[in-house]
């Protein structure tokens, strides 16, 4: 039986739209058994009632893509998903499913793909690399999707960093959140984001929290997504007042994320209370960066 653990991820981190993402220590587990007849998918935990358990399942689809490429056909396939990453909340649940499926399939085919090939395939499947890259590799990943390959660099974020995620109890599809964005942005907004995202990477690489507190700013996606996350700015303000270093929309939302060193419980509660002012209930979790990405727990 093959068992894989895949981390959640937070993409964009403010200015790094579609290019920056960090793996988080919240995990989904995937078990695959090919020594079986027939086809079965079981889902436990997050999304268990509505995740497809047939050929439309995203883990299966990714596995099948890799099997077809390798002209490999298992006798049977039994897939078990144990999900802890909330679905459609901006924490990389679909990236985790895609990465889990890709890694599992790659371990089953005769001539496994390289990490670079896998990264390209999962990015093609997801459409952008910012969640799949950290889910596969771990840490903070800065990446660019070219047609032939993903150019990327992994940075290990400081381990004393806490990520407080306030997860509203409603879902927001990435498609809807992407449709809210304009096709073109003003040149000065592009310059703004280039400058801030460069400084953000340096702040996280060097553990420079003073710099981090100044550079998690965005003009190319968060302002357009404000109507999709009522209270976003007020929750940001509450987190900062409670001691957060910096704040951002996690991926395409609706989860909001605060970076902190201290006072993380207080920050989480402040975010929860601020959302409540908008009649939105949310849970919060205090997470850490994950440095490993997807790992094989069992392969026997
Ligand atoms: N970069 C993506 C977005 C992340 O903001 O739309 C969502 O998966």
């Amino acid at each position: 039986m093959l068992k894989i653990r895949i981390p959640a991820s937070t993409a964009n981190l403010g200015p790094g739209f579609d290019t920056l993402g960090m793996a988080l220590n919240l995990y989904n587990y995937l078990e695959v058994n090919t020594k079986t007849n027939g086809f079965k998918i079981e889902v436990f935990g997050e999304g268990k009632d509505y995740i497809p358990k047939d050929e439309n399942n995203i883990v299966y689809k990714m596995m099948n893509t890799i099997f077809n490429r390798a002209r490999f056909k298992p006798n049977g396939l039994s897939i078990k998903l144990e999900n802890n990453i909330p679905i459609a909340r901006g924490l990389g649940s679909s990236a985790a499913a895609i990465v889990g499926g890709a890694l599992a399939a790659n371990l089953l085919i005769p001539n496994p793909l390289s990490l670079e090939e896998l990264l390209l395939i999962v990015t093609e499947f997801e459409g952008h690399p910012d969640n799949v890259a950290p889910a596969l590799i771990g840490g903070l990943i800065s990446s660019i999707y070219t047609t032939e390959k993903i150019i990327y660099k992994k940075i290990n974020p400081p381990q004393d960093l806490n990520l407080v995620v306030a997860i509203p109890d409603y879902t927001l599809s990435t498609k809807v959140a992407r449709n809210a964005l304009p096709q073109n942005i003003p040149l000065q907004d592009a310059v703004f984001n280039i400058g801030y995202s460069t400084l953000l990477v340096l702040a996280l690489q060097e553990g420079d929290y003073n710099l981090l507190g100044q550079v998690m700013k965005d003009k190319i996606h968060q302002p357009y997504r404000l109507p999709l996350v009522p209270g976003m700015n007020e929750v940001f303000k509450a987190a900062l007042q409670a001691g957060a270093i910096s704040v951002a929309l996690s991926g395409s939302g609706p989860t909001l994320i605060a970076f902190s060193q201290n006072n993380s419980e207080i920050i989480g509660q402040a975010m929860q209370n601020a959302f409540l002012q908008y009649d939105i209930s949310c849970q919060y979790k205090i997470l850490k960066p994950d440095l490993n990405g997807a790992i094989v727990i069992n392969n026997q």
Side-chain angles (χ1 to χ4, degrees), residues 49 122 152 155 174 206 247 290:
D49 295 328
V122 293
Y152 72 93
I155 293 145
T174 299
E206 293 177 9
V247 286
D290 164 277

Side-chain angles (χ1 to χ4, degrees), residues 50-111:
Y50 50 90
I51 286 178
K53 290 152 194 95
D54 56 16
E55 280 81 2
N56 293 313
N57 181 280
I58 191 170
V59 176
Y60 169 75
K61 279 187 171 179
M62 186 72 254
M63 290 187 77
N64 204 34
T65 303
I66 291 186
F67 287 161
N68 287 340
R69 252 179 84 120
R71 298 188 205 303
F72 173 78
K73 197 161 172 31
N75 287 335
L77 190 61
S78 162
I79 296 174
K80 187 171 151 190
L81 309 178
E82 197 188 309
N83 290 342
N84 297 304
I85 308 173
I87 312 282
R89 300 300 214 294
L91 286 169
S93 63
S94 69
I98 292 166
V99 165
L103 192 56
N106 201 41
L107 288 160
L108 293 165
I109 59 176
N111 295 305

